[in-house]
Structure formats: C-alpha cells, structure tokens
Amino acid sequence: MTQLIAMAVFAFITSISPGPVNIIATVTGANCGYVRTIPHIIGATIGFVSILFLLGFGLAQVINEVPYLTEIITYIGGCFLLYLAYKVAMQNTRINDNSEPNNSAPSLIQGIMCQWLNPKAWIVSLAGISVFSSHDAGINILLLFCAIFFIVCYASISAWAILGITIRTILNIPKHYKIFNFTMGLLLAITVIYTSFMSG
C-alpha cells in the first residue's frame, strides 16, 4: 500500500506539472473546447504509458548502454516541439458564426508523438522506472505503475484542458485569442528549451 501511494504521488506531481503536452492541452481547450481536446489527451496518455512500459520492459537498459540515444531523442523532440510552439503562437484566430474559434485540434497520433518526442516524458519515465520498477521487480509492478500513470496522466492533462476552457470565457474577441495563443506558444518554447537543457 505504501508503494502504491508513492507511485500515485509521483505520477500526480510529474503529470500535473507544466510541460509541453499540458500547455498544448490548455491551448486546445481554450480554442476548441474539451470534446475536441480528447484525442490529444488520450493520445498523450497512451504515448506516455507506452514509453514507461517499454523502458520498464528493457529499453532503459538499452538507453543506458547507448547514451547518445537520449541526446538524439532530446534534439529531435526539441525541434518538433519548437515547431509546435510556433504553430500554437501563430494559430488562426478567426471566429465562426457560433462564436467558436476556427482552429484545428491535435489528433490522437499527434498526441502520442507529443509524448514520444517530449524530453520531459523520457526523463520522468526513466526516473520512475529506476525508483519503482527495477529489473527484479517483476511485470506485475510495471503493469501496476503503468495503470496508475494512465489514470493520473489522463486526469492531469484533462485538468489543463479544463483550465483552457475556463480561460476562454475572457477570450471573446480575436485579439484576445491572438495574445493568448502567442503567449502560450512562447511559454511552450521556453519550456521545451528549459527541459532540453535539464536533460542534457
């Protein structure tokens, strides 16, 4: 029970903290509403849990033996997320007849890729595996850890999306959307750069 609580606390703290995936969820929630943010939430949750599972299943040992793999992931992921930051900052701010922003929402696959190319996801997963799921811990502990993270990760990303929906109540004119999107894009870029340096 103590280990279960520790896993849940670790999952919550790392999932709820600001990061690229959560920032994108907030922007999507503000611009598109919760329903259209669900594919991103599900995709990001699946993406993170799949990283966690693969690392616990043996990929962590491969990465430890080939250290430059982490650097490759960091650089490729950083470039991809900086591109997303640019897209967020430059999002279309037109409003349609129903007073809804006319923007495209991330797909499930894009949500998965956001995690697979997110340095923070790899850092958190490696840390979690090293603490809670050692090589001798067995598959049951790994599956339990993945299940906990699935629930907590989905709930945490949803909370950020709901924050975006709350913010959208003041985004009633295109100028407000433009300022919000630019600010969030800049914040995303800063977060990506900071995370990349931390993992380097």
Side-chain angles (χ1 to χ4, degrees):
M1 181 59 68
T2 301
Q3 186 180 34
L4 184 65
I5 294 173
M7 285 180 175
V9 171
F10 178 84
F12 175 74
I13 292 173
T14 54
S15 297
I16 202 68
S17 60
V21 170
N22 289 337
I23 292 173
I24 292 172
T26 304
V27 173
T28 307
N31 285 274
C32 305
Y34 183 79
V35 173
R36 293 179 62 193
T37 310
I38 290 176
H40 170 73
I41 297 172
I42 295 175
T45 302
I46 292 173
F48 182 87
V49 172
S50 64
I51 293 172
L52 190 68
F53 178 79
L54 289 174
L55 287 174
F57 205 66
L59 184 59
Q61 292 179 322
V62 175
I63 290 178
N64 289 332
E65 293 174 3
V66 190
Y68 63 81
L69 283 179
T70 304
E71 294 183 12
I72 292 174
I73 293 170
T74 298
Y75 289 131
I76 295 176
C79 291
F80 172 73
L81 293 171
L82 286 175
Y83 168 74
L84 287 183
Y86 170 78
K87 295 288 287 183
V88 166
M90 298 293 124
Q91 272 199 90
N92 185 3
T93 58
R94 289 180 300 171
I95 295 179
N96 62 25
D97 294 337
N98 295 322
S99 298
E100 295 289 334
N102 187 16
N103 290 309
S104 59
S107 66
L108 185 141
I109 298 299
Q110 288 173 326
I112 293 174
M113 293 303 296
C114 278
Q115 290 288 31
W116 271 85
L117 295 175
N118 179 11
K120 177 190 172 185
W122 289 90
I123 293 169
V124 169
S125 297
L126 283 168
I129 290 300
S130 65
V131 173
F132 296 107
S133 183
S134 65
H135 181 68
D136 299 326
I139 189 67
N140 290 336
I141 295 296
L142 176 61
L143 291 176
L144 176 62
F145 197 30
C146 289
I148 290 171
F149 246 111
F150 188 94
I151 296 169
V152 174
C153 188
Y154 185 94
S156 297
I157 301 173
S158 292
W160 281 85
I162 293 170
L163 173 63
I165 295 169
T166 303
I167 292 172
R168 78 186 294 183
T169 58
I170 63 172
L171 305 178
N172 52 7
I173 59 174
K175 182 180 179 181
H176 292 168
Y177 276 103
K178 185 174 182 179
I179 294 172
F180 173 77
N181 290 336
F182 181 82
T183 302
M184 295 301 287
L186 181 61
L187 179 61
L188 176 56
I190 292 172
T191 303
V192 170
I193 294 171
Y194 175 77
T195 304
S196 298
F197 277 122
M198 288 294 290
S199 63

